[in-house]
Amino acid sequence: MEAPIISSYIILGAALFVLLNSAAVCVYAERRIAAFIQNRVGPNRVGPFGLLQPIADVVKLIFKEDVTPSYGNRILHSVAPLIPVTTALMTVAVIPFGDGLFITDLNIGILYLLAIASLGVYGVTMAGWASNSKYSLLGGLRAAAQMLSYELPMGMAIASMVLFSMSLSLVDMVNAQIYWWGIFVNPIGFIIFTIAAFAEANRSPFDLVEAEQELVGGFHTEYSSMKFGMFFLAEYMHVVIGSMLITVFFLGGYHLPFAGYYAHLLPEAGTLAKAILDISVFGAKVAFMVFVFIWVRWTIPRFKYNQLMSLGWARLLPLSIANFVIIAFILMMIHEFF
Amino acid sequence: MELKTTILDKAKPTFFEKHQNALYKSLEDKHTTVEVEEDPLGTRMILNMGPQHPATHGVLRLLLELDGERIIRNRLDIGYLHRGVEKIAENKTYQEFMPYTDRMDYLSPYSNNVALCLAVEKIAQIEVPERADYIRMIGCELARISSHLLYLGAMVMDTGAISFFIWTFRERERLYDIFDNFGGHRFTISHSRIGGVHNDLSPECLGMIKNFIDTFPDEIRDWKKLLNKNRIFYDRNLNVGRISYDEALALGVTGPNIRAVGVPYDIRKFDPYLQYDQVEFDVPTRLEGDNLARYFIRMEEMSESVRIIRQCLEKMPKGPIRTDNAKQAYPSKDEVYYSMEGMIHDFMMTDTGICPPEGAEAYHAIEAPKGELGFFIQSDGTGHPWRLKIKSPSFTNLQGLEKMLDGEMIADTVVMIGGVDPVMGDSDK
């Protein structure tokens, strides 16, 4: 890993800025898409097409009373919302947005990602415990169990992609997909990873943690004001990060499909034009995955706790291990005989 | 660890200490208190769900003893919406009391109106013109569709698919528009009158109903497509909230819930009232007795209701819509405005009302969307009932719910409540 250079800091600043704002864009997109699915109009009063709605939401949240439940743990209750947001922001460090457009190229980038992603659940569990509410507690415990069960298939799905790139660096991972995207060579891994990403982001159908119908609000039942806003922000940032990871691991990152075959036929682009093209391709893929996240949420019912567990441990985990072994075997055969 | 801590130890009231302590004390005394008896590991938790909970369909209170996510025991607590409807009836004339029935099962007001009117007509021996019967039938079946639509939306939303609620509400909105044209009110229509109905259906209203029954089956087909093969929805409902044949009969579960255990009990077939013997329809039944069976039955019933309405529209004869006897029903407004006798009768009807013979008793039940809705009336010869007892379907169905909840997961509670489909206004009266 080389020492950080000036451009790294610029990209870091830009990436954090985009990520923080992407949550706002996501909220707007979610509400408009939900409204579209439900035959409603959706927010259209604040600003043109209701585009300023997220700002109005944040202002409202800031002005609300910040309540800490009596007999709750005051310190943990305040610290908990910070954890998911921080971990979500930390993940951008290793994601390549374009050719050379990354903050740092960690040679253990994937391990770093997995480690950081699993830290986020501490915030949820702490929030559940510190609230001194039974609904929150149930939500927090569900979060811990869910995270544990879905980390494993997720890890195996990523490992099966590592077999192709032969590196734990995300930049190498993207470059390994210049000819064939991960989704084409490893479709089962893609499905497993997508499901696990939904579970990691606590999105429907895996939103048991906040299951509105049975647990009122789950872990954030007792949260209000900007503390609740932080959880809200973290949820949408996790959606964006999940989409980014799916893009990086399976949708070829910033590469156009099968780019390796025809890239040399295209005219040589300047550095800036190349950067803009890369980021647009990356952004379009991420936007599509975010749309899928939202689409699924407003269509599909939620799992039950025992169904979630049996899906994670009895179906996804064996499937992901089998997928890994089969891919490893095929790759070894190709390596040996061709 | 001291296990037997009471609410009084934990709660430290800050305002109106004496008053609050008295409240907590009375809560402790209730039969709905759950005591954890054997719990050496300290893993049991008592969860008090409701009466203010977003998914308990009104003000139902559930006390759940949990072992992790599983319910060990439960108690239901009802009565938070008790308004003393039966007592109010004793101080009202029969006609004055009818708007109160709208507020009982507020998802199908028309059925409640008709149930009361039929009971009063039975006790006072009032003949109702045939056209009024058909108008009432159309109203009742539209109310059934409306009620089942809410069931469908709320139950599917309880499983987590929020959009469905809005889709069913779009159809309910059309029904409300029809009812607006039907009797002048969207929600609490109070259109039925003792001895007939308030007004005839306008051609515009008939057109709206025709349009609705033509397009509604397509919607049902779409919903079935989305739900019947949906793995998550199917698994969330299969074998959930199971009640056996014997238990269901013993507890007096009615309506779609009893048809879901295989009892084809439908009063429209068993003891036809109105003109239900003149129309053809099937009574869907299932044998499983779980939430999925209840879902299938209600979906089929909506289709059957459409069928009934279509036949009603064809068979509806021309003629008067209220009995012509001014001692038994309100005279028409034409008579009231333009004749002396009409006006006097109108005053008499409002002031004294219909007086059934002294000592007469009558019970009449109809098949409301949620089950058997019966009114028992005892008369003392005046215009007010001496006693009016309501047998409401939600109340009996809730008895079954307590049996269903034991041993299920906490995530199933709301789905089961949605599946049994109680309305607290109906249950608490």
Side-chain angles (χ1 to χ4, degrees):
Chain A
M1 190 183 120
E2 66 256 48
I5 44 171
I6 298 292
S7 71
S8 295
Y9 289 112
I10 296 169
I11 298 166
L12 176 66
L16 288 183
F17 179 77
V18 168
L19 191 66
L20 281 169
N21 284 300
S22 68
V25 177
C26 272
V27 172
Y28 175 75
E30 169 123 57
R31 293 178 69 170
R32 284 305 281 229
I33 294 170
F36 173 70
I37 291 172
Q38 298 172 346
N39 306 314
R40 293 189 286 120
V41 182
N44 66 346
R45 295 287 130 170
V46 194
F49 306 107
L51 274 168
L52 300 179
Q53 186 68 42
I55 296 170
D57 286 349
V58 170
V59 169
K60 183 204 77 172
L61 278 173
I62 288 171
F63 281 114
K64 289 193 107 174
E65 189 189 354
D66 186 11
V67 181
T68 313
S70 56
Y71 303 97
N73 189 321
R74 216 162 247 282
I75 296 165
L76 286 185
H77 192 264
S78 308
V79 170
L82 298 174
I83 296 173
V85 177
T86 316
T87 55
L89 285 173
M90 280 165 81
T91 45
V92 290
V94 291
I95 293 174
F97 300 100
D99 192 12
L101 291 173
F102 46 81
I103 295 154
T104 176
D105 180 17
L106 274 184
N107 55 0
I108 49 154
I110 288 167
L111 289 183
Y112 169 82
L113 262 186
L114 286 174
I116 291 295
S118 13
L119 280 179
V121 72
Y122 279 95
V124 175
T125 314
M126 272 161 65
W129 185 77
S131 292
N132 187 30
S133 156
K134 287 167 183 173
Y135 293 117
S136 303
L137 183 65
L138 279 171
L141 292 177
R142 280 178 178 189
Q146 181 174 327
M147 210 59 76
L148 207 65
S149 324
Y150 283 81
E151 284 280 307
L152 298 168
M154 189 182 216
M156 288 311 287
I158 294 176
S160 64
M161 281 313 291
V162 171
L163 290 174
F164 290 99
S165 74
M166 301 307 274
S167 158
L168 287 175
S169 151
L170 268 78
V171 177
D172 293 344
M173 173 70 75
V174 171
N175 286 331
Q177 298 178 58
I178 190 161
Y179 288 102
W180 287 82
W181 287 2
I183 183 173
F184 299 125
V185 291
N186 186 6
I188 299 173
F190 170 73
I191 292 166
I192 292 168
F193 187 84
T194 310
I195 294 172
F198 272 84
E200 292 278 307
N202 289 333
R203 291 284 290 190
S204 177
F206 300 99
D207 58 346
L208 292 94
V209 176
E210 44 194 299
E212 200 179 298
Q213 277 76 28
E214 64 247 29
L215 297 186
V216 191
F219 65 94
H220 60 62
T221 307
E222 302 290 344
Y223 277 88
S224 62
S225 184
M226 234 9 234
K227 281 187 197 163
F228 169 74
M230 290 289 223
F231 278 126
F232 207 58
L233 187 70
E235 183 186 329
Y236 284 100
M237 286 203 302
H238 274 122
V239 170
V240 176
I241 301 256
S243 308
M244 282 181 179
L245 293 184
I246 293 172
T247 309
V248 166
F249 286 123
F250 292 97
L251 299 180
Y254 47 81
H255 292 306
L256 286 163
F258 313 109
Y261 290 114
Y262 54 79
H264 58 279
L265 303 174
L266 301 175
E268 192 65 35
T271 319
L272 185 65
K274 181 89 172 64
I276 290 171
L277 180 69
D278 282 351
I279 288 177
S280 318
V281 170
F282 187 80
K285 290 174 189 171
V286 171
F288 174 73
M289 282 317 296
V290 169
F291 170 73
V292 172
F293 268 86
I294 295 169
W295 184 17
V296 167
R297 170 165 182 195
W298 296 101
T299 317
I300 291 182
R302 180 186 307 120
F303 279 105
K304 203 159 65 176
Y305 183 71
N306 55 353
Q307 291 169 353
L308 179 91
M309 286 294 135
S310 76
L311 179 72
W313 291 99
R315 308 247 177 90
L316 286 186
L317 187 59
L319 187 66
S320 60
I321 292 172
N323 185 43
F324 176 80
V325 171
I326 289 166
I327 287 177
F329 184 73
I330 291 171
L331 284 180
M332 196 193 77
M333 283 294 159
I334 292 171
H335 192 72
E336 288 287 311
F337 296 107
F338 295 100
Chain B
M1 198 184 97
E2 183 64 37
L3 269 177
K4 283 202 111 187
T5 49
T6 60
I7 302 174
L8 288 172
D9 297 333
K10 281 185 193 161
K12 295 195 174 59
T14 38
F15 307 112
F16 305 112
E17 204 169 323
K18 206 172 150 190
H19 177 66
Q20 281 205 1
N21 275 328
L23 269 178
Y24 289 136
K25 190 94 183 54
S26 70
L27 277 175
E28 289 264 296
D29 291 340
K30 282 197 120 169
H31 70 283
T32 45
T33 309
V34 174
E35 294 263 343
V36 179
E37 281 142 13
E38 284 176 32
D39 186 21
L41 297 173
T43 54
R44 303 277 170 87
M45 180 166 94
I46 304 271
L47 184 65
N48 181 24
M49 221 181 192
Q52 279 110 351
H53 186 280
T56 53
H57 291 244
V59 284
L60 178 64
R61 177 167 170 240
L62 292 154
L63 267 151
L64 309 168
E65 183 185 337
L66 299 174
D67 181 9
E69 290 260 336
R70 199 164 285 282
I71 300 164
I72 307 294
R73 277 188 305 163
N74 76 91
R75 293 269 198 285
L76 290 191
D77 190 10
I78 61 168
Y80 287 92
L81 202 59
H82 178 64
R83 291 155 299 178
V85 172
E86 290 173 3
K87 191 69 190 167
I88 290 171
E90 293 168 20
N91 300 293
K92 299 271 174 204
T93 66
Y94 293 101
Q95 186 59 57
E96 270 177 342
F97 175 62
M98 204 194 63
Y100 286 85
T101 61
D102 282 323
R103 279 114 186 126
M104 279 168 38
D105 180 359
Y106 39 75
L107 303 177
S108 56
Y110 208 100
S111 300
N112 307 350
N113 297 163
V114 170
L116 175 73
C117 288
L118 284 171
V120 177
E121 281 152 16
K122 190 172 181 181
I123 195 175
Q125 285 144 8
I126 300 170
E127 285 290 317
V128 178
E130 204 176 326
R131 187 175 173 84
D133 275 353
Y134 278 108
I135 292 174
R136 283 176 176 183
M137 272 164 78
I138 293 171
C140 282
E141 294 309 318
L142 287 176
R144 189 183 313 279
I145 294 174
S146 168
S147 170
H148 284 0
L149 279 179
L150 191 111
Y151 151 82
L152 184 65
M155 196 273 284
V156 178
M157 189 174 72
D158 287 343
T159 64
I162 299 158
S163 297
F164 221 88
F165 191 68
I166 316 273
W167 295 336
T168 57
F169 256 69
R170 188 180 63 167
E171 297 307 304
R172 291 197 78 214
E173 186 62 32
R174 289 173 66 196
L175 282 171
Y176 281 151
D177 286 344
I178 290 174
F179 279 131
D180 192 9
N181 235 307
F182 210 103
H185 279 271
R186 284 161 57 76
F187 195 58
T188 51
I189 41 175
S190 291
H191 175 252
S192 186
R193 291 284 181 278
I194 291 159
V197 292
H198 176 259
N199 60 289
D200 208 344
L201 299 183
S202 63
E204 196 191 353
C205 180
L206 284 172
M208 284 166 89
I209 295 171
K210 275 197 191 104
N211 186 17
F212 179 79
I213 59 172
D214 284 343
T215 52
F216 185 63
D218 294 342
E219 294 287 332
I220 297 183
R221 208 191 53 225
D222 284 354
W223 294 335
K224 280 183 180 167
K225 250 193 254 169
L226 190 64
L227 290 178
N228 284 9
K229 294 252 172 81
N230 187 328
R231 192 77 220 174
I232 303 176
F233 177 78
Y234 197 85
D235 284 349
R236 284 292 308 262
N237 283 288
L238 188 68
N239 287 331
V240 163
R242 219 176 195 160
I243 190 162
S244 71
Y245 184 92
D246 297 324
E247 275 174 343
L249 278 182
L251 291 169
V253 173
T254 66
N257 299 325
I258 193 121
R259 291 195 279 279
V261 298
V263 185
Y265 180 63
D266 188 324
I267 304 172
R268 291 177 295 175
K269 281 274 189 219
F270 262 62
D271 181 15
Y273 52 96
L274 298 176
Q275 303 287 334
Y276 276 112
D277 45 355
Q278 302 294 316
V279 291
E280 269 180 33
F281 63 99
D282 297 323
V283 179
T285 45
R286 289 238 154 198
L287 297 172
E288 297 90 350
D290 59 357
N291 232 2
L292 199 64
R294 287 173 217 136
Y295 157 76
F296 282 130
I297 281 182
R298 287 198 173 91
M299 288 302 259
E300 290 308 313
E301 277 188 11
M302 284 198 278
S303 306
E304 292 301 320
S305 289
V306 170
R307 214 172 127 196
I308 294 173
I309 295 170
R310 188 164 286 135
Q311 292 176 54
C312 285
L313 289 176
E314 280 166 15
K315 291 190 175 169
M316 200 156 63
K318 291 210 167 17
I321 45 123
R322 209 174 326 152
T323 180
D324 205 19
N325 186 341
K327 300 282 181 219
Q328 292 179 330
Y330 274 98
S332 72
K333 284 290 175 220
D334 284 345
E335 281 181 73
V336 178
Y337 290 150
Y338 301 111
S339 83
M340 192 67 208
E341 289 77 14
M343 185 158 211
I344 293 169
H345 279 129
D346 196 63
F347 269 121
M348 288 300 286
M349 284 302 290
T350 308
D351 187 44
T352 319
I354 300 137
C355 299
E358 192 178 348
E361 285 181 6
Y363 175 79
H364 193 277
I366 70 157
E367 185 68 27
K370 293 178 175 62
E372 179 181 340
L373 172 67
F375 282 81
F376 173 74
I377 303 172
Q378 256 185 324
S379 167
D380 57 355
T382 63
H384 316 277
W386 186 80
R387 173 85 172 95
L388 189 141
K389 168 85 179 81
I390 304 162
K391 187 227 168 280
S392 57
S394 297
F395 182 75
T396 44
N397 285 342
L398 279 176
Q399 297 185 36
L401 183 62
E402 208 169 75
K403 272 267 184 295
M404 294 172 199
L405 279 168
D406 282 342
E408 300 279 358
M409 310 282 287
I410 184 170
D412 292 330
T413 49
V414 283
V415 181
M416 265 184 275
I417 298 169
V420 168
D421 193 23
V423 167
M424 295 322 287
D426 193 23
S427 157
D428 295 351
K429 293 176 286 224

